[in-house]
């Protein structure tokens, strides 16, 4: 039965995350963007909300809450509404834990989930994107070569979030040659098993530590391989659904800010919001925020139902990334010159929002 | 709990209306576009029989009133008992399919129509019962909405048609234009003012029955699209209407103009759903040629530099249709659950109105010269589409409604 209403539990989740976004993340977003550092306490507080590991099974020391894509998109929207860089840092462990939960063997779960601590944030991450112009997920250049007892990984990965502080990194690499998603598996590498190169410097996401890493024959024992058995497409659908939700959050932040500003800013004797050119733009922004949220919900719901959400997720992600440019651009436009200066956060959201169309696997549900 | 699973009734309705659209409406869509003003008599009769035998009608209602209705239902003919609840979502799902067949013919389907929607939004329980009995009867009937006048369109507060009290009657005088189905209606909901000095509070809706002396259909419009549905000019000359036909009753002062506006909460999602149906018709038409027969591959999620122009155009069209549909379903669902949906209904309508124009235009461009030919329905759909960004409130009015809602502005604060 169709419903657009959050359950009580989901509403509580939303409110908790929104509270954290506004009262904690927003307080230090500009400072973090300027300094390139996210205060450790914020990450720790996010962790204590149960956001990073809440879904880990009790048997492995987790809280055992159900892994629900719908719940996750609700969380992701609210956190990204606070700050995108912080969200991607706090939720980086899911990039590792969720694939392990879905495709990992008993031993792997025991080993890695056991490394998570309820009271302390533990870094985990995944490495997918490569430093290539026109990066193509279907033509991964990082290879896994069967060297008998273990695999040898060769290649370079880029934009790996918190690689410097992760206990383990899930590296996606391909066996054999040829294009397509087939043959892609996850390879678990502990800290120190690969070289961390430079820290990425991006247009946006400046507070998030991302790195280029180099795999120069790094060895991965066979029991540390996360065999996806064709499940990589599902992981992508889960990551793209997450992307749509993150986009919704950033867009909602920019839209709301512009909305409030337009009511306060007076020109020609009245608030600029009382002019149709501003008001209509805001109406369209509001509509697009709603539309992308519904698309995120829909593909998340499909994932939870066990349906194939590959197409829905890809389409939603692309739609949202496009609309995000419309929304954040117009948010800066409505603020006029004030939208261009770093005193207001809209320019930061405009920069952050550009990432969605070009990034894969920023977060996962 | 967020859920997108349709009920079995909805799935059945979707399949049924789709098949009906494909097998009955599509084959005659061109004929009634070319032969404007010709009544699709057989279609009307057949559709009426079909839907009434299923106990199906596309009336819209608020959930609370639906309940009221249900209680009163006991004595009304069981033949017309409707599937319970979520009539708006069910309606949105069904009219999308029907409009996919032909939007003009969809508007010709007998039933409560816009007049019925106004009665449901502004009428007293007694009026709803009395008039719906006429509109959901054994013979095809239709309820029309007569609001627009030569002197105004979007500004519904500018009603110039007058209603002057004369004992138990009101005497109506004025001219109404753009009355959808105005040639065939059994009931007209006519909006008139009790006095200009009363402003919006003086605007009332009167149900005028066919054959009432002084009510006359003056002429039919010649239109760009939806030609299978006639749009009439209706003139009221000293037309006497009993006070019992004043929607909401004489005492409920506040319901008049607000009642008209509440009608839109229910009709806008339906109009949006129809627009989506047209957009999908055009999309499916070119999809069949380019993808099914032409071998074009749409690689969702593939790297952009590896994708051709056409596949991204197809994906964008589909995404816009999906986005638009979700907004529409949400607006309809909210009304079904008695949640205020003014903003969402306008969002859905504004979005669908834009999307359907864009997609139908683009479909012709992709099809090439042949797309411009009347051999194909693409050109018709583009013509049909235009009115969806105009009637039931233009795209600009929808944006105004949304903007006032999000800014919490009055009409004075945002003109």
């Amino acid at each position: 039965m169709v419903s657009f209403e959050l359950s009580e539990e989901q509403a509580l989740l939303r409110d908790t995350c929104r509270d954290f976004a506004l009262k904690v993340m927003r307080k230090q977003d500009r400072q973090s963007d300027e300094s390139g550092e996210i205060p450790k306490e914020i990450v720790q507080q996010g962790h204590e909300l149960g956001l990073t590991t809440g879904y880990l099974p009790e048997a492995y020391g987790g809280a055992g809450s159900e892994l629900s894509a719908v719940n996750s998109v609700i969380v992701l929207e609210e956190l990204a509404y606070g700050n995108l860089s912080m969200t991607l840092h706090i939720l980086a462990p899911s990039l590792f834990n969720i694939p392990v939960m879905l495709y990992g063997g008993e031993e792997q779960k025991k080993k890695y989930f056991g490394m998570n601590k309820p009271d302390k944030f533990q870094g985990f991450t995944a490495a997918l994107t490569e430093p290539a112009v026109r990066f193509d997920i279907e033509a991964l250049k990082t290879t896994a070569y069967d060297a008998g007892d273990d695999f040898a990984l060769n290649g370079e990965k880029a934009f790996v979030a918190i690689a410097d502080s992760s206990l383990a990194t899930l590296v996606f690499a391909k066996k054999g040659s040829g294009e397509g998603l087939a043959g892609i598996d996850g390879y678990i590498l502990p800290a120190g098993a690969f070289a961390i190169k430079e820290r990425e410097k991006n247009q946006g996401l400046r507070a998030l530590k991302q790195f280029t890493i180099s795999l120069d024959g790094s060895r991965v024992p066979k029991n540390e391989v996360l065999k996806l058995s064709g499940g990589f497409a599902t992981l992508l659908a889960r990551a793209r659904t997450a992307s749509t939700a993150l986009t919704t959050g950033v867009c909602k932040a920019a839209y709301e800010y512009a909305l409030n500003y337009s009511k306060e800013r007076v020109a020609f004797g009245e608030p600029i919001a009382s002019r149709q050119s501003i008001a209509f733009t805001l109406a369209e922004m509001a509509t697009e925020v709603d539309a992308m949220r519904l698309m995120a919900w829909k593909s998340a719901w499909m994932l939870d139902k066990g349906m194939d959400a590959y197409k829905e997720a890809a389409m939603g992600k692309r739609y949202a990334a496009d609309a995000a440019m419309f929304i954040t651009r117009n948010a800066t436009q409505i603020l006029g010159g004030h939208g261009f200066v770093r005193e207001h956060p809209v320019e930061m959201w405009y920069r952050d929002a550009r990432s969605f169309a070009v990034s894969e696997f920023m977060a996962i549900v | 709990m967020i859920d997108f699973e349709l009920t079995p009734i909805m799935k059945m309705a979707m399949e049924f209306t789709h098949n009906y659209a494909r097998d009955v409406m599509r084959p005659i869509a061109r004929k009634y576009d070319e032969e404007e003003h010709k009544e699709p008599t057989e279609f009307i009769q057949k559709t009426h029989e079909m839907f009434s035998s299923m106990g199906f009608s596309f009336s819209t209602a608020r959930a609370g009133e639906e309940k009221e209705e249900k209680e009163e239902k006991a004595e009304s003919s069981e033949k017309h008992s409707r599937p319970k609840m979520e009539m708006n979502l069910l309606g949105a799902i069904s009219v999308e399919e029907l409009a996919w067949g032909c939007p003009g013919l969809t508007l010709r389907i007998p039933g409560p129509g816009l007049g019925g929607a106004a009665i449901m939004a502004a009428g007293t329980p007694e009026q709803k019962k009395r008039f719906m009995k006429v509109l959901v009867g054994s013979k095809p009937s239709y309820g029309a909405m007569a609001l627009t006048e030569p002197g105004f369109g979007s500004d519904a507060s500018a009603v110039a048609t007058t209603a002057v009290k004369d004992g138990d009657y009101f005497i109506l005088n004025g001219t109404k234009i753009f009355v959808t189905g105005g040639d065939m209606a059994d009931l007209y909901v006519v909006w008139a003012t009790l006095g200009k000095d009363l402003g919006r509070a003086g605007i009332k809706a009167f149900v005028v029955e066919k054959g009432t002396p002084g009510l006359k259909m003056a002429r039919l419009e010649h239109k760009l699209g939806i030609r299978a549905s006639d749009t009439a000019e209706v003139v009221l000359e000293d037309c006497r209407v009993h006070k019992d036909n004043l929607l909401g009753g004489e005492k409920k002062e506040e319901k008049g103009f607000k009642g008209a506006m509440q009608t839109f909460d229910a009709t806008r999602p339906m109009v949006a759903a129809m627009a989506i149906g047209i957009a999908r018709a055009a999309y499916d038409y070119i999809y069949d040629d380019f993808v099914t027969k032409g071998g074009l591959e749409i690689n969702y999620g593939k790297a952009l530099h590896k994708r051709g122009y056409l596949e991204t155009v197809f994906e964008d069209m589909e995404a816009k249709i999906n986005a638009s549909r979700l907004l529409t379903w949400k607006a309809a669902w909210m009304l079904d659950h008695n949640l205020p949906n003014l903003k969402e209904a306008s969002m859905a309508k504004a979005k669908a109105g834009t999307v359907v124009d864009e997609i139908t235009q683009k479909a012709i461009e992709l099809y090439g010269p042949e797309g411009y030919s009347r051999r194909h329905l693409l050109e018709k759909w583009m013509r049909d589409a235009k009115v969806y960004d105009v009637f039931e409130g233009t795209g600009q009015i929808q944006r105004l409604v949304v903007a006032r809602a999000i800014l919490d502005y009055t009409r004075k604060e945002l003109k």
Side-chain angles (χ1 to χ4, degrees):
Chain A
M1 189 137 152
V2 174
S3 173
F4 294 91
E5 196 173 27
L6 272 59
S7 67
E8 260 179 59
E9 182 205 346
Q10 288 166 339
L12 184 68
L13 200 57
R14 178 198 58 198
D15 295 345
T16 308
C17 293
R18 187 175 295 173
D19 215 45
F20 179 67
L22 290 174
K23 293 189 182 141
V24 180
M25 297 168 106
R26 284 279 182 96
K27 300 285 180 234
Q28 311 222 35
D29 57 350
R30 172 59 71 185
Q31 191 192 325
S32 299
D33 184 72
E34 296 286 339
S35 68
E37 296 279 338
I38 297 168
K40 276 200 170 64
E41 312 81 70
I42 292 184
V43 175
Q44 179 58 26
Q45 264 180 277
H47 176 70
E48 282 165 16
L49 286 174
L51 301 175
T52 50
T53 53
Y55 52 84
L56 294 178
E58 283 177 65
Y60 306 106
S65 50
E66 161 203 24
L67 176 62
S68 149
V70 172
N71 288 2
S72 295
V73 293
I74 292 166
V75 167
L76 284 163
E77 177 187 334
E78 296 307 328
L79 296 184
Y81 172 67
N83 180 265
L84 185 60
S85 291
M86 293 173 189
T87 304
L88 297 180
H89 185 130
I90 294 169
L91 297 180
S94 293
L95 296 174
F96 182 97
N97 288 327
I98 290 180
V100 170
M101 188 143 141
L102 295 173
Y103 298 102
E106 197 54 34
E107 285 304 310
Q108 291 170 337
K109 287 182 188 174
K110 212 160 141 185
K111 177 174 175 186
Y112 292 103
F113 294 168
M115 288 160 77
N116 286 281
K117 290 182 182 154
D119 57 343
K120 191 171 180 298
F121 177 88
Q122 301 291 340
F124 290 91
T125 190
L128 172 65
T129 307
E130 295 169 350
V133 178
R134 284 173 288 164
F135 166 69
D136 181 2
I137 210 161
E138 295 186 6
L140 285 187
K141 299 218 164 51
T142 303
T143 55
Y145 165 74
D146 192 338
D149 292 342
D150 43 24
F151 281 96
L153 261 56
N154 282 290
E156 287 205 324
K157 292 288 183 185
F159 308 104
V160 186
I162 65 168
D164 62 327
S165 58
S166 288
L167 300 175
T169 301
L170 181 66
V171 176
F172 291 101
K174 206 171 159 94
K175 272 193 298 253
S177 56
E179 295 218 339
L181 301 180
I184 298 176
D185 282 309
Y187 297 83
I188 300 171
L189 281 87
F194 51 84
I196 293 176
K197 295 169 78 185
E198 62 187 319
R199 177 168 172 185
E200 300 282 6
K201 292 183 185 132
N202 302 320
Q203 177 190 43
L205 294 177
R206 291 192 185 192
L208 179 67
K209 287 184 179 167
Q210 290 181 320
F211 300 88
T212 305
I213 66 170
S214 175
L215 303 142
D216 191 11
S218 303
R219 294 291 168 133
V220 178
K222 290 206 162 155
N223 59 356
E224 299 288 1
V225 179
L226 188 69
K227 286 205 183 70
L228 300 176
S229 329
F232 184 64
T234 304
L235 290 181
L236 269 185
R238 301 188 78 92
R240 287 166 174 168
T241 299
S243 182
T244 308
L246 292 169
T247 311
T248 311
V250 173
C251 288
K252 194 177 83 155
Y255 150 70
E256 267 189 18
Y257 198 90
L259 179 89
N260 293 331
Y261 181 89
S262 73
K263 290 180 80 172
E264 282 161 19
R265 176 72 178 181
V266 173
F268 310 106
E270 54 186 11
I272 59 170
S274 63
R275 306 274 167 172
Q276 290 190 344
S277 92
I278 302 290
F280 284 16
T281 305
L282 287 165
E284 287 176 13
M285 290 158 75
T287 306
E288 293 305 331
V289 171
D290 265 23
M292 61 174 81
R293 175 183 301 117
L294 294 173
M295 289 175 107
W297 285 5
K298 174 92 186 281
S299 62
W301 174 81
M302 289 173 76
L303 287 168
D304 285 345
K305 286 271 159 183
M307 297 159 85
D308 180 4
Y310 190 79
K311 174 179 156 182
E312 205 84 11
M315 213 162 33
K317 182 194 161 174
R318 196 174 126 82
Y319 181 91
D322 254 8
M325 287 293 93
F326 167 80
I327 291 167
T328 54
R329 178 209 172 261
N330 275 308
T332 59
Q333 185 68 18
I334 286 169
L335 267 78
H338 296 278
F340 197 69
V341 296
R342 304 217 295 272
E343 205 176 312
H344 292 278
V346 285
E347 63 80 30
M348 179 177 73
W349 290 322
Y350 186 33
R351 287 185 285 110
D352 282 355
R354 184 65 278 184
S355 66
F356 296 121
V358 296
S359 307
E360 290 279 19
F361 235 76
M362 301 168 95
I364 192 165
V365 295
Chain B
M1 188 72 159
I2 294 162
D3 198 346
F4 294 91
E5 183 76 39
L6 298 177
T7 60
I9 288 179
M10 288 172 186
K11 285 182 187 167
M12 189 203 78
M14 185 187 263
E15 196 191 332
F16 176 79
T17 46
H18 182 77
N19 293 343
Y20 196 76
R22 185 194 58 211
D23 301 336
V24 178
M25 299 168 82
R26 272 286 172 90
I28 58 169
R30 174 59 75 187
K31 174 180 162 68
Y32 290 101
D33 175 65
E34 298 277 337
E35 297 172 27
E36 191 176 17
H37 308 317
K38 186 182 169 110
E39 190 185 76
T41 317
E42 198 190 330
F43 168 76
I44 290 173
Q45 191 58 37
K46 190 173 174 179
T47 311
H48 175 72
E49 281 163 22
M50 182 70 73
F51 287 134
S52 46
S53 72
M54 289 176 68
F56 220 82
S57 83
F58 297 110
S59 84
T60 51
R62 291 180 169 272
E65 291 166 354
E66 184 72 21
K67 263 179 227 149
E68 256 174 56
E69 276 280 293
K70 254 169 58 190
E71 281 155 22
E72 290 165 20
K73 203 109 258 178
E75 49 183 302
S76 86
S77 160
E78 73 279 8
K79 200 175 169 191
H80 309 121
S81 68
R82 286 169 285 171
K84 66 177 191 314
M85 298 299 291
E86 306 209 295
M87 288 309 295
N88 291 284
L89 184 54
L90 181 69
I93 288 165
S94 306
V95 296
E96 177 183 332
E97 299 307 322
L98 295 173
W100 180 91
C102 176
L105 289 169
T106 302
L107 292 168
R108 259 288 163 114
I109 293 175
L114 294 177
I119 292 164
M120 291 308 285
T124 63
E126 183 277 325
Q127 289 173 331
K128 287 182 206 170
K129 198 167 116 186
R130 178 156 49 102
F131 297 128
M132 292 314 269
K133 210 176 269 177
V134 176
L135 295 177
V136 192
S138 55
K139 68 175 186 57
S141 53
Y142 193 83
M145 174 91 141
L147 175 58
T148 304
E149 297 180 10
F152 79 89
S154 297
D155 181 10
S157 67
V159 168
T161 296
T162 53
V164 178
K165 185 120 197 243
D166 179 24
D168 282 347
Y169 287 83
F170 284 91
I171 302 168
L172 305 184
N173 275 292
T175 301
K176 293 289 180 183
I177 59 167
F178 301 161
V179 182
T180 299
D183 58 320
M184 58 171 180
D186 296 84
L187 295 179
Y188 296 81
V189 175
V190 176
W191 299 83
T193 175
L194 297 176
K196 269 290 178 196
D197 51 323
L198 296 171
R200 281 157 197 269
I203 298 172
K204 299 288 171 191
F206 299 86
V207 178
V208 184
E209 281 146 288
K210 186 167 80 178
T212 306
L215 170 78
K216 93 168 188 257
M217 205 276 286
R219 67 186 184 95
L220 297 175
E221 300 289 348
H222 306 278
K223 304 192 300 298
L224 171 69
I226 54 162
R227 291 185 183 167
S229 161
D230 268 317
T231 308
E233 179 180 314
V234 175
V235 176
L236 300 127
E237 275 171 358
D238 292 330
C239 183
R240 287 169 71 84
V241 179
H242 196 271
K243 67 179 169 60
D244 290 349
N245 283 17
L246 196 172
L247 281 186
E250 272 188 281
K251 291 201 175 123
K252 285 172 95 182
E253 294 296 334
E254 78 285 1
K255 262 265 178 170
F257 189 75
K258 227 172 133 192
M261 297 301 116
Q262 279 182 3
T263 311
F264 294 131
D265 296 350
T267 56
R268 283 174 178 161
M270 295 307 132
V271 170
M274 287 180 66
I276 295 161
I278 304 168
R280 228 185 78 216
Y283 174 85
D284 287 352
Y285 201 83
I286 57 168
Y287 185 94
D288 182 55
D289 194 72
F290 280 81
V291 182
T292 312
K293 291 178 192 148
L296 173 72
E297 273 184 48
I298 305 174
N299 297 290
Y300 301 91
K302 207 181 176 81
L304 199 54
H305 66 271
K306 286 197 163 171
R307 306 183 68 185
Y309 169 75
L310 285 178
E311 54 174 316
T312 55
V313 169
F314 270 92
E315 179 180 339
D316 290 348
M317 283 184 178
E318 189 180 359
K320 282 175 186 166
I321 290 170
N322 287 354
S324 198
R325 183 185 296 113
L326 288 168
L327 290 168
T328 301
W329 282 13
K330 185 180 169 193
W333 173 88
M334 288 176 81
L335 193 59
D336 282 329
H337 292 268
N338 234 4
L339 300 164
N341 75 336
L342 175 76
K343 179 184 77 180
E344 287 76 10
S346 283
M347 279 181 165
K349 167 79 168 60
K351 179 74 179 170
T354 308
V355 164
V356 72
D357 279 347
E358 262 180 48
I359 289 179
T360 52
Q361 289 163 10
K362 195 76 191 171
I364 290 178
E365 185 193 340
L366 294 185
Y367 221 62
E370 197 64 13
Y372 194 62
S373 163
R374 304 214 303 263
R375 278 190 290 273
H376 300 274
L377 288 167
L378 289 172
E379 66 79 31
K380 174 186 175 297
W381 290 324
M382 185 186 123
R383 288 185 288 106
D384 290 340
K386 190 67 212 73
V387 81
Y388 288 82
D389 206 22
V390 176
F391 66 6
E392 295 299 285
T394 61
Q396 286 69 30
I397 290 295
Q398 308 306 332
R399 283 162 179 81
L400 198 58
V401 171
V402 174
R404 281 181 189 145
I406 58 179
L407 288 160
D408 194 19
Y409 271 4
T410 60
R411 281 192 306 275
K412 278 198 183 117
E413 287 169 307
L414 177 59
K415 289 195 181 111

